[in-house]
Structures are given as structure tokens and as C-alpha cells.
Amino acid sequence: QAQLTEFGGGSVQAGESLRLSCVASDRIYSSSTCLGWFRQAPGKEREGLASIYTDLGITYTGGSATGRFGISQDKVKKTIFLEMNDLKSDDTAMYYCAAQSWCGQGVSPASVTFWGQGTQVTVSS
């Protein structure tokens, strides 16, 4: 079964940190060399934040993620993480894990081959 399941969303105060997790099913993990994170705020387009080549561990961050967010993985658990620091109210959004056809800065949603269901992050100022 193809599945990406996100965990770790919630409500935090501005300035706090949060770590999101995404567990990939065997089917997704074995067929996807690149996993990443996107987010979508109300009324805005979905944007790519970070991605990782799971075989080599090469990571990319870009856009709103630059400087405050980082991506990592646990290969044994087929899990990727998004570490978010110094959160701001503008970071309030639904965060999605994704299997992508390629990794890099500026990956568009069109490059996603499979989406997780999303996890909500709300930052209060």
C-alpha cells in the first residue's frame, strides 16, 4: 500500500520550534528516491520547502525554509523529518510530505508523485 503519514503538527507560540515526521510505506520508500516537504497556507499556493535524496542523504532547502528549517531522515524507520525553528505566524499552514520525481530548490507541486494527507501547524504571535 502506498502511504505517507505525517505526524507532529499542532499549535505553538511564535519563536518556538516544532519537528514534523513523515513515515513512508515500504512501497513508497522503495520506489521514490526523493522525499520532501511542502506547505500550503490559506489562500496561497502550495510551496516546496525541503527535500532529501533518501539513498545518499543529500538535502535541499529553499524559499521560506531557508535558514530556519532543516530536513533529515531515519533510513531504518523510512521516516523523514522537518525541523522548524523560530516559528512565525506566517508559518501557519498545512504541511505535506511528498514523494517527488526529483530533489532540489524550487521543486514545484507538479513534480510530486504522491502526497501525504497533511498535518496542520498553527503559530500564534
Side-chain angles (χ1 to χ4, degrees), residues 76-116:
V76 173
K77 296 182 179 179
K78 301 180 178 64
T79 300
I80 65 168
F81 305 97
L82 184 68
E83 187 75 40
M84 303 185 291
N85 300 307
D86 189 23
L87 284 162
K88 307 178 188 304
S89 56
D90 288 347
D91 296 317
T92 294
M94 185 71 79
Y95 285 71
Y96 297 91
C97 181
Q100 303 169 196
S101 57
W102 62 282
C103 281
Q105 294 183 341
V107 176
S108 76
S111 299
V112 172
T113 58
F114 193 87
W115 292 101

Side-chain angles (χ1 to χ4, degrees):
Q1 184 178 0
Q3 201 166 11
L4 291 170
T5 307
E6 298 98 334
F7 300 94
S11 297
V12 297
Q13 297 292 316
E16 293 183 343
S17 299
L18 200 62
R19 187 173 82 158
L20 305 181
S21 304
C22 170
V23 181
S25 65
D26 290 344
R27 178 176 171 181
I28 289 291
Y29 198 80
S30 63
S31 63
S32 304
T33 58
C34 177
L35 298 176
W37 291 96
F38 286 72
R39 74 181 183 187
Q40 187 167 21
K44 295 188 177 181
E45 294 183 353
R46 195 168 295 192
E47 65 168 326
L49 297 173
S51 53
I52 182 168
Y53 280 114
T54 55
D55 51 352
L56 298 176
I58 299 172
T59 64
Y60 301 87
T61 56
S64 302
T66 303
R68 295 186 297 123
F69 295 1
I71 187 170
S72 60
Q73 68 171 342
D74 182 330
K75 296 181 71 172
V76 173
K77 296 182 179 179
K78 301 180 178 64
T79 300
I80 65 168
F81 305 97
L82 184 68
E83 187 75 40
M84 303 185 291
N85 300 307
D86 189 23
L87 284 162
K88 307 178 188 304
S89 56
D90 288 347
D91 296 317
T92 294
M94 185 71 79
Y95 285 71
Y96 297 91
C97 181
Q100 303 169 196
S101 57
W102 62 282
C103 281
Q105 294 183 341
V107 176
S108 76
S111 299
V112 172
T113 58
F114 193 87
W115 292 101
Q117 83 286 354
T119 185
Q120 177 68 37
V121 173
T122 302
V123 184
S124 301
S125 58

